[in-house]
Amino acid sequence: MTQTGTGKYERLLERCRGIDAIPTSVAYPCDESSLAGAMDAANQGLIVPILVGPAATIASVAKAKGLDLGKTQIVDVPDSRAAAAKAVELVRTGQAELVMKGSLHSDEILAAVIAKETGLRTGRRLSHVFLMDVPTYHKPLIITDAAINIAPTLEDKTDICQNAIDLCRTFGVEKPKVAILAAVETVNSKMPATLDAAALCKMADRGQIKGGLLDGPLAFDNAISRDAAKTKGIASEVAGDPDILLAPDLEAGNMMAKMLSFLANADSAGLVLGARVPIILTSRADSVRSRIASCAVAVLAAHARRKSPR
């Protein structure tokens, strides 16, 4: 992916300077990209990685790719499923404050996170955010949910929205602006996404969603462009300046994020929220820049939790 160099992620990294690196369990870093990603984040002073997986395999990958593991702690377990369970256990026992996905399937790490007796569940529903650096947009942009909740209910969207607002506040946005997306900007009983949007806005008015400024339904054009909103006669503090785009369903969110990546050269960082700690969910296709950004956002969230634990 083309490196955009917009400075948005660099400013994000600057917020991490001078704060303590966060102990992070890295589940099954058994290929070059996942192991290098963890070590890059360590070299940036963001995390203290605890590598969880078959020790011989991790050492072999490091040797083949010339990665210096130094004194990095390795917890030897036989396979990816055991690595996911152990990575979660390290958080439960206080040895780690973040979980980072290695080269195992996302389903494996998420299954360990949501396990009823041994996982990291809270009262919130899990949701995924993409933090996007879009060259044509003036600030970092969160898209949610594009990876976990397939057809979220209104109650699910409440948690998805609150998770994103809470994250946004950790990197300095005092009152995040949330654009709740639909195909149109008017409420239509035949289009459930518009009804959900209207309900979410009223829930925010009544304090059921806290800390953000919500508006919707908004179509994508008038959510992103103040001129488009003005043309449609929409008076909104959110239109043209959202921090968060709340998608109506996973398919819409996923396509939107990937279109921005591949057509607009956007970089993205991925996290799972709603568990006791953020889950750094990177892909083998992610650039080093994206991996570092994912860790930086998670580190800021972890420090915020230290100050005001739930």
Side-chain angles (χ1 to χ4, degrees):
M1 186 183 298
T2 302
Q3 298 304 303
T4 60
T6 64
K8 301 185 192 83
Y9 277 6
E10 287 71 20
R11 289 192 292 273
L12 181 63
L13 285 174
E14 192 60 35
R15 292 186 64 87
C16 296
R17 304 298 180 205
I19 62 177
D20 294 338
I22 296 291
T24 302
S25 57
V26 186
Y28 206 70
C30 291
D31 67 359
E32 179 190 0
S33 60
S34 60
L35 186 56
M39 299 313 297
D40 285 338
N43 292 334
Q44 289 270 355
L46 296 171
I47 67 171
V48 179
I50 304 170
L51 308 177
V52 186
T57 302
I58 293 171
S60 177
V61 171
K63 182 177 180 180
K65 301 304 177 182
L67 297 173
D68 181 12
L69 300 183
K71 296 181 179 179
T72 303
Q73 181 181 352
I74 299 175
V75 178
D76 188 18
V77 296
D79 53 39
S80 58
R81 186 173 179 180
K86 187 65 177 180
V88 167
E89 181 187 321
L90 290 172
V91 172
R92 289 179 61 91
T93 56
Q95 298 173 69
E97 294 179 57
L98 293 172
V99 176
M100 185 174 185
K101 173 183 172 288
S103 56
L104 74 177
H105 290 294
S106 296
D107 288 350
E108 290 181 286
I109 190 68
L110 293 178
V113 168
I114 65 173
K116 193 168 184 179
E117 300 298 331
T118 58
L120 301 172
R121 296 172 72 163
T122 66
R124 293 264 188 95
R125 187 168 185 84
L126 293 187
S127 62
H128 181 272
V129 298
F130 277 120
L131 179 66
M132 311 291 295
D133 180 356
V134 185
T136 53
Y137 194 64
H138 58 281
K139 59 182 174 180
L141 185 65
I142 285 176
I143 293 175
T144 190
D145 180 332
I148 292 182
N149 294 283
I150 297 172
T153 64
L154 175 62
E155 289 75 17
D156 296 337
K157 289 178 181 179
T158 303
D159 282 349
I160 292 168
C161 186
Q162 191 68 66
N163 286 342
I165 289 170
D166 290 350
L167 177 69
C168 218
R169 288 170 61 88
T170 67
F171 51 86
V173 182
E174 185 176 343
K175 196 174 181 90
K177 297 178 181 179
V178 185
I180 307 165
L181 298 181
V184 296
E185 61 280 350
T186 53
V187 177
N188 185 329
S189 64
K190 295 179 181 179
M191 303 178 76
T194 69
L195 299 177
D196 285 352
L200 289 166
C201 290
K202 181 51 66 177
M203 292 169 78
D205 290 344
R206 299 288 167 85
Q208 291 173 266
I209 299 171
K210 301 181 186 298
L213 179 63
L214 280 61
D215 198 3
L218 291 170
F220 183 83
D221 57 347
N222 46 59
I224 288 295
S225 167
R226 198 177 299 277
D227 288 341
K230 186 177 179 181
T231 299
K232 292 284 186 72
I234 300 169
S236 169
E237 294 183 61
V238 173
D241 192 40
D243 301 285
I244 299 164
L245 297 178
L246 183 65
D249 57 32
L250 183 147
E251 289 179 319
N254 191 276
M255 286 187 279
M256 180 167 47
K258 288 179 178 176
M259 282 189 288
L260 289 173
S261 293
F262 286 92
L263 290 178
N265 287 331
D267 280 320
S268 64
L271 290 180
V272 173
L273 308 172
R276 291 190 195 177
V277 300
I279 314 301
I280 303 166
L281 204 67
T282 55
S283 164
R284 282 178 289 182
D286 284 345
S287 66
V288 171
R289 175 179 163 87
S290 292
R291 290 174 183 275
I292 294 298
S294 297
C295 290
V297 177
V299 164
L300 291 172
H303 275 278
R305 284 167 181 262
R306 285 181 175 181
K307 294 177 182 177
S308 56
R310 288 183 190 167

